[in-house]
Amino acid sequence: MEESLTQAKRIHLIGIGGIGISALARLLHHEGRVISGTEDNESAATLDELRAQGVSISLDLDPKALPSADCYIYSDAWLTKHPAVLEEARSRGVPTLSYFEALGKATRGYYLFAVAGTHGKTTTTAMLTDILEEAKLDPTAVVGSLRVKTKSNFRPGGGKYFVVEADEYMRHFLYFSPQVLVITNIDRDHLDYYRDLEDIQSAFRELALKVPEDGFVVCDTANPHLFPVIEGLRATVVNYAEAGEIPQLKLPGKHNIANAKAALSAARTVGVKDDVVLPALASFEGTARRFEYKGETPAGAFVYDDYAHNPPKVRAALEGTREKYPDRRIVAVFQPHLYSRTRLLLPEFAESFGDANEVIVLPIYAAREQDDGSTSSEMLADELGKRGVKVSPLSFIEAEEYLKSTLGPSDLVLTLGAGEAHKVGEAILS
């Protein structure tokens, strides 16, 4: 680690319950640091595991209640949610780092696998972690969701390998210096930050140029969106589309086959043999909120949840659901994520629900944005209606009541979105 973290014994993480920063907290705790944290969401799924390891967590949002520390690390979400807390941390005269900056420093000194891409990152990161684990390489890993296998987003390792999910938003992944870079795909997204596809490609290009000459960039070389990213790289470019046959996966969909091929190809770069890789892929159970089975309603309808929140992810999730359940009536319950994403990708979203028999559109999840009144869920519902889709814009309560009164034993509900759509699915199970 670099000096700001190397010399820090007491580290306080602001927004410690977040899915990424909680894994970093566990990594630092694993390395022997004294870890504490501040959180505003007592129900965050990661808190129990942290507390069980002796991490002190405060829900006091008074800036003056911030404990003293040698270093503060913050979740980017708190830049807008609780800026006064960060201002207090920065006034203390000790290093104050963003989550991604700190994670980038924490991965220095490891042989780093960075898994990037507009979609498929989390599943591919977890697949690769499983493979290296089965190969007895004892990797350290930070995954953007909870692995079903371990119910955790962090794997403490003892070897030289580190696997990390590398987020492209705001060019966060440029804090990493990978030896192996996996790019699952590139599409238009995060247009509240990036100007256009070319701007997105420039960020991926900058990351790919950081891979050393003896390193590898694993991607689908036939994807035209990758052409300007991989041209003339000094690292070896590996085409995962040519990885060969893979075993039957537990997760449906062509996108998961592509994810598996990417993980397989990355593992081969460090000499892992197929007789280890293929069984690991066949037994891979997935991660939370990626086509996660939630249960069966009293009427006999299946309920699944998926984190899909941009058009390619929505399309892939529904295609995979249709592949696995060709005869069920699929009801998609979608909560758009961000006003800007909904507005800028409205036509693409409207074309993404072809495998659903019915769509319910929930109110937009604002996240880091403010509602200026220019974008609404009704706009997406109107676009879907123009394409002949049976669609209803409903509140959470209306959606729950409607589903409870209409679902039958041949139906399947798939909740979609990075926000709180999963709560509708959970509410109709009883």
Side-chain angles (χ1 to χ4, degrees):
M1 290 188 189
E2 295 185 358
E3 185 175 346
S4 57
L5 280 181
T6 302
Q7 297 182 356
K9 179 63 176 177
R10 296 171 304 150
I11 302 176
H12 188 83
L13 294 94
I14 301 170
I16 194 171
I19 195 64
I21 197 169
S22 62
L24 176 60
R26 292 192 59 209
L27 169 63
L28 296 170
H29 181 271
H30 176 66
E31 293 182 343
R33 315 307 177 86
V34 178
I35 303 300
S36 59
T38 299
E39 182 51 57
D40 66 353
N41 179 13
E42 174 61 36
S43 64
T46 55
L47 296 187
D48 287 345
E49 187 173 16
L50 288 167
R51 285 178 170 138
Q53 295 186 349
V55 175
S56 172
I57 299 171
S58 171
L59 300 176
D60 191 341
L61 300 180
D62 182 349
K64 297 303 180 182
L66 200 65
S68 60
D70 302 320
C71 177
Y72 294 101
I73 299 171
Y74 62 88
S75 163
D76 280 354
W78 284 54
L79 290 167
T80 53
K81 289 170 64 178
H82 306 290
V85 178
L86 296 188
E87 290 173 10
E88 176 64 27
R90 287 168 173 157
S91 73
R92 299 282 180 92
V94 298
T96 302
L97 309 173
S98 73
Y99 159 66
F100 290 98
E101 184 180 5
L103 184 58
K105 293 178 185 296
T107 60
R108 303 287 166 82
Y110 287 93
Y111 188 101
L112 181 64
F113 292 84
V115 182
T118 310
H119 41 97
K121 294 187 293 293
T122 299
T123 298
T124 306
T125 302
M127 284 178 168
L128 181 55
T129 300
D130 272 24
I131 291 168
L132 298 182
E133 192 174 63
E134 290 301 314
K136 311 300 182 188
L137 295 179
D138 199 14
T140 301
V142 170
V143 185
S145 184
L146 306 181
R147 297 164 68 200
V148 170
K149 178 179 180 180
T150 62
K151 304 295 188 293
S152 177
N153 56 345
F154 172 67
R155 185 189 190 278
K160 71 175 184 178
Y161 297 108
F162 199 121
V163 185
V164 68
E165 182 172 333
D167 184 14
E168 75 273 17
Y169 182 58
M170 295 184 71
R171 290 176 161 80
H172 285 145
F173 55 18
L174 295 181
Y175 285 114
F176 300 120
S177 297
Q179 278 69 42
V180 180
L181 170 62
V182 179
I183 305 176
T184 56
N185 42 63
I186 297 178
D187 279 304
R188 293 172 70 238
D189 197 12
H190 297 304
L191 296 179
D192 58 324
Y193 173 77
Y194 290 106
R195 294 188 306 275
D196 49 27
L197 178 61
E198 185 177 352
D199 193 22
I200 298 170
Q201 290 168 322
S202 73
F204 278 88
R205 171 71 174 178
E206 189 173 350
L207 179 60
L209 287 171
K210 296 182 73 174
V211 181
E213 186 175 356
D214 60 351
F216 301 88
V217 176
V218 177
C219 62
D220 178 0
T221 60
N223 184 332
H225 290 178
L226 271 293
F227 292 168
V229 174
I230 62 176
E231 182 181 8
L233 294 179
R234 57 177 179 164
T236 300
V237 177
V238 177
N239 183 8
Y240 73 68
E242 296 179 349
E245 293 298 317
I246 61 169
Q248 180 70 41
L249 301 175
K250 293 184 177 181
L251 302 181
K254 293 182 291 185
H255 61 298
N256 281 316
I257 294 174
N259 294 337
K261 288 186 174 184
L264 165 65
S265 300
R268 284 174 175 170
T269 67
V270 292
V272 181
K273 302 300 183 184
D274 284 9
D275 61 356
V276 173
V277 176
L278 299 181
L281 289 174
S283 62
F284 178 71
E285 297 179 84
T287 62
R289 303 214 62 201
R290 272 67 178 180
F291 198 66
E292 180 184 5
Y293 178 68
K294 305 296 287 188
E296 186 174 324
T297 71
F302 294 167
V303 178
Y304 282 84
D305 177 57
D306 197 280
Y307 192 72
H309 56 279
N310 65 29
K313 292 178 181 178
V314 170
R315 182 181 300 109
L318 284 165
E319 286 178 351
T321 305
R322 178 59 67 199
E323 174 189 301
K324 186 173 180 66
Y325 295 106
D327 299 324
R328 284 198 171 244
R329 187 178 75 94
I330 298 174
V331 182
V333 180
F334 177 60
Q335 183 182 29
H337 183 255
L338 300 176
Y339 298 102
S340 60
R341 179 182 281 128
T342 306
R343 180 177 65 254
L344 295 169
L345 298 178
L346 190 63
E348 290 95 326
F349 272 121
E351 297 291 343
S352 300
F353 290 85
D355 282 294
N357 299 97
E358 183 175 358
V359 179
I360 294 171
V361 185
L362 299 171
I364 293 173
Y365 185 74
R368 55 184 174 267
E369 296 183 339
Q370 298 295 318
D371 182 7
D372 65 3
S374 67
T375 309
S376 67
S377 294
E378 285 75 14
M379 292 170 60
L380 176 55
D382 288 345
E383 289 297 316
L384 287 166
K386 291 175 185 177
R387 289 159 173 78
V389 177
K390 183 179 180 181
V391 59
S392 303
L394 301 176
S395 69
F396 277 72
I397 295 298
E398 289 170 338
E400 293 167 17
E401 292 175 349
Y402 173 75
L403 290 170
K404 285 181 176 180
S405 65
T406 59
L407 290 174
S410 62
D411 296 336
L412 182 149
V413 174
L414 178 64
T415 55
L416 295 161
E420 300 175 325
H422 62 93
K423 292 182 177 180
V424 173
E426 291 162 1
I428 63 175
L429 289 175
S430 58

